[in-house]
Amino acid sequence: MQVPLLDLKEQNDALRPEIDAAIARVLDTNAYILGPEVSALEEELAVYCETKHAIGCASGSDALLLAMMALDVGPGDEVITTPYSFFATVSAITRLGAVPVFVDIRPDTFNIDVAQIEARITERTKAIQPVHLFGQCAEMAELQKISEKHGVPLVEDAAQAIGAKEDGKLAGAMSDVGCFSFYPSKNLGGMGDGGFMTTNSDELADKLRALRVHGSKERYYHKWVGLNSRLDGFQGAILRVKLPRLEGWSEARAFNAGRYREILGDAMISDQLILPVEREDVRHIYNQFVVRVPGRRDELRAFLSSNEIGTDIYYPVPLHLQECFAYLGYKAGDLPVAELAARETLALPVFPELRMLQLEYVTEKLIEFFKGEL
Ligand SMILES: *Cc1c(COP(=O)(O)O)cnc(C)c1O
């Protein structure tokens, strides 16, 4: 049996007639950049995320960059963030000449360790940017308290967390700006690059809308130096087909995660294979189902691969140890929890269309591996 880490074909094939019609609508109107489909999608996203505004842009990476620009992050400023995330979390900061200040993660959720943040706040701290890694919110209630106490804005990297909740509140609705991605592997994936930002501030929304079109509100009059970062009409139309299905897909992911838990929880291998930890009062949307494998991660990955089971490592190198950030002066050992996670984590297939027989095959092979019945 073959079990890919992610299979987009089935999802897209099932929607093919609607997607064809959506593409035809764009061709009929010739609105290829922003336009009515994108505006309609933005309204639907604002409803979904329960925010006042949702603003499309060219990628999740740009959403983060635009958020930092909107908050006037610039040379010499510091932004507190996590070292255990996708690269764009940090490049959004460094591209503006600002300095990422890394705070280590919690060993259970892999999200930023909120208890360590306050000690790192200085008069140069311009923003705090948590990441809701793998689909589970960072501790936003605590982060909001810190943000208010110190008067430092919050930006959520919610690229993996559309629809995730903490205490009933949605990812992207718990900060100054929420940043999302439509990269095809996200829970709501486009057919190309795309992203969006959420905010409840009219002022920030206004600025973000201008920044995505070279900083102009009125064509050819530039208040700021912005980017060319717009969502295209095809993505807007296609994503409007997909958005009504998002809840069902995220439910299916959570269901699959639950099945892994039931089967593997009974298998007496919990000291060798640590399953994802859900905090209380959260809705985890399982963009990834990431387990921890102390000592034998790479061996397990090779074994699963030899059995045609797809896995991946998010992320093999923590951001503070990336070659391009050597100038920041971090060294191995500085952020031990993130460094250990980079050595131990493995993502297993959890996508919505995963068949129960496939999932059971994965668990069978995991049990075989850990019980030494090879
Ligand atoms: C995917 C992702 C991004 C970047 O999104 P793109 O649309 O690929 O630019 C940023 N942060 C995190 C945590 C992500 O997973």
Side-chain angles (χ1 to χ4, degrees), residues 157-213:
D157 181 341
Q160 301 180 3
I162 187 166
K165 288 181 186 170
E166 173 182 299
D167 209 7
K169 294 190 265 310
L170 278 151
M174 296 183 277
S175 64
D176 295 274
V177 186
C179 302
F180 295 86
S181 164
F182 296 127
Y183 187 76
S185 69
K186 311 291 168 147
N187 285 34
L188 181 61
M191 294 185 161
D193 275 310
F196 73 102
M197 301 149 291
T198 51
T199 184
N200 286 317
S201 154
D202 294 340
E203 198 183 320
L204 281 172
D206 198 48
K207 190 164 177 186
L208 289 165
R209 280 202 184 91
L211 285 170
R212 72 177 170 177
V213 286

Side-chain angles (χ1 to χ4, degrees), residues 58-64 84-90 129 131-134 157-161 179-186 192-196 287 314-315:
S59 68
S61 303
D62 275 6
L64 294 164
Y84 194 59
S85 180
F86 180 62
F87 181 72
T89 302
V90 175
Q129 184 199 43
V131 178
H132 304 321
L133 204 65
F134 306 140
D157 181 341
Q160 301 180 3
C179 302
F180 295 86
S181 164
F182 296 127
Y183 187 76
S185 69
K186 311 291 168 147
D193 275 310
F196 73 102
N287 180 244
Y314 305 105
Y315 298 88

